[in-house]
Amino acid sequence: FSSSGSTFREHDDEGCAETIAATKESLEKIFTTASTVLSGKGRSKLKHMMAENSMKTKEFRILPNSKIHLCWDVISLVGIAYYAIDSPVRIASHLRANALHSSYDSHFIFDYCVDLLFIVDMILRSTIYSYASYENGRTVVVSDLASIRRQYLTSKKFKMDLFAVLPFDLISAGTGSYHAIYRLSKLIRVMQISEVISNLQKHLDACWGVKMNETQRSVLLMLLYSLLLVVWSSAGWNALRPSENAVLSVYWAITTLTTVGYGDLTPVDFTETCYALIVGAVGAV
């Protein structure tokens, strides 16, 4: 432009004129927007939006990558293992004593404390547990209370949690005795072990950067399910053989599930034979 003796604004080139016109139009839009925001109505609306956002951020939420989830994964896994081991072992001990009914004692206080932990978890999941959702090609964290509650209450997990915390065993509280069968409803949580391990895998990566591959996850699941099979099988055998101690029952369960048995502990009647056939078939699978 200097060689032609003119400036950009003074030049009669068609491109220069279009550029200047577009710039003026953009500046007018910016000025109009700024005037609206700075006016009384616009300023009031802006303040309202800022106040609403500030109020939302003050609501406490536990984010999906919080270490609280990691701690709870471990606690819930221990709680589920306790349910899965305690209920069948208790029933077996009652059957050995020829009495499924027993009086309440301090042991049940611990049971109800574990129940209370899962009830608290249900409350937290329906109120302050934010969750990640994949929307419009990206992952977003949902912290809205209504969305959190709807997402949990419509899930399969809520139905299982609700059934597991129902106090069926308190039905017998009016009689002053306890029926061990009523605690078997807690065993439904065994179906949640795979989900808990998946959550643990995800939270280890998000919180500590620890990677758990699918092989490690499968091995952990296999170990847990194998442990439960041994406990359940030995509890049933121990209930059928009151004269044998628990160690021999565990020995019988392991040898029957992993091999065909060594023949040193054999069934002596029709009921024990049927039970040994079932356990052996499960071990073969």
Side-chain angles (χ1 to χ4, degrees):
F1 296 108
S2 59
S3 62
S4 61
S6 62
T7 62
F8 181 84
R9 293 183 180 180
E10 297 173 349
H11 206 278
D12 57 357
D13 183 74
E14 184 178 351
C16 293
E18 291 179 356
T19 303
I20 293 172
T23 303
K24 287 182 178 179
E25 185 179 354
S26 298
L27 289 173
E28 288 176 357
K29 289 182 178 179
I30 293 173
F31 179 76
T32 303
T33 303
S35 299
T36 303
V37 171
L38 294 175
S39 65
K41 184 178 179 180
R43 186 167 58 249
S44 176
K45 184 177 180 180
L46 182 63
K47 287 183 178 179
H48 176 71
M49 292 172 61
M50 292 177 64
E52 184 179 2
N53 183 68
S54 176
M55 188 167 56
K56 285 183 178 180
T57 55
K58 288 181 180 178
E59 296 178 353
F60 178 73
R61 294 289 183 268
I62 297 178
L63 298 177
N65 62 345
S66 173
K67 292 182 180 180
I68 295 177
H69 291 296
L70 185 60
C71 295
W72 175 248
D73 290 339
V74 177
I75 293 174
S76 60
L77 197 59
V78 173
I80 293 173
Y82 172 76
Y83 282 145
I85 294 174
D86 178 73
S87 296
V89 168
R90 184 178 299 177
I91 291 176
S93 63
H94 288 184
L95 287 173
R96 285 166 59 89
N98 293 321
L100 280 175
H101 290 275
S102 65
S103 59
Y104 281 94
D105 54 37
S106 59
H107 181 77
F108 299 108
I109 297 177
F110 184 78
D111 289 352
Y112 296 137
C113 287
V114 177
D115 294 344
L116 183 61
L117 277 176
F118 283 104
I119 292 174
V120 171
D121 175 63
M122 292 179 65
I123 296 173
L124 295 179
R125 287 184 184 277
S126 61
T127 54
I128 64 175
Y129 274 10
S130 298
Y131 66 94
S133 177
Y134 190 76
E135 300 176 1
N136 301 323
R138 62 192 182 96
T139 302
V140 297
V141 176
V142 180
S143 298
D144 176 62
L145 177 59
S147 300
I148 292 173
R149 185 167 296 161
R150 181 172 57 255
Q151 190 267 347
Y152 176 59
L153 296 182
T154 57
S155 65
K156 180 181 177 182
K157 177 174 174 55
F158 169 72
K159 298 179 179 65
M160 297 178 65
D161 288 344
L162 181 61
F163 180 79
V165 299
L166 290 177
F168 294 110
D169 51 332
L170 294 181
I171 296 175
S172 58
T175 63
S177 63
Y178 171 84
H179 205 298
I181 296 294
Y182 290 136
R183 294 293 293 181
L184 283 179
S185 62
K186 311 301 179 183
L187 291 182
I188 194 174
R189 290 199 181 275
V190 172
M191 299 173 63
Q192 296 179 328
I193 290 179
S194 179
E195 179 184 357
V196 173
I197 296 298
S198 296
N199 291 336
L200 181 63
Q201 179 184 24
K202 178 177 62 178
H203 294 142
L204 278 173
D205 185 17
C207 299
W208 288 350
V210 177
K211 302 287 186 181
M212 179 190 294
N213 57 42
E214 289 303 315
T215 301
Q216 294 170 329
R217 176 181 177 275
S218 299
V219 169
L220 181 57
L221 279 173
M222 184 185 67
L223 289 175
L224 288 173
Y225 285 133
S226 298
L227 173 63
L228 294 183
L229 276 177
V230 170
V231 171
W232 293 349
S233 301
S234 60
W237 185 256
N238 191 247
L240 295 174
R241 309 282 290 262
S243 59
E244 290 182 0
N245 60 41
V247 176
L248 286 177
S249 297
V250 172
Y251 164 76
W252 175 87
I254 293 176
T255 56
T256 304
L257 287 168
T258 57
T259 65
V260 293
Y262 296 132
D264 49 349
L265 295 176
T266 57
V268 296
D269 57 28
F270 179 75
T271 303
E272 292 182 8
T273 302
C274 290
Y275 184 77
L277 284 173
I278 295 171
V279 174
V282 172
V285 173

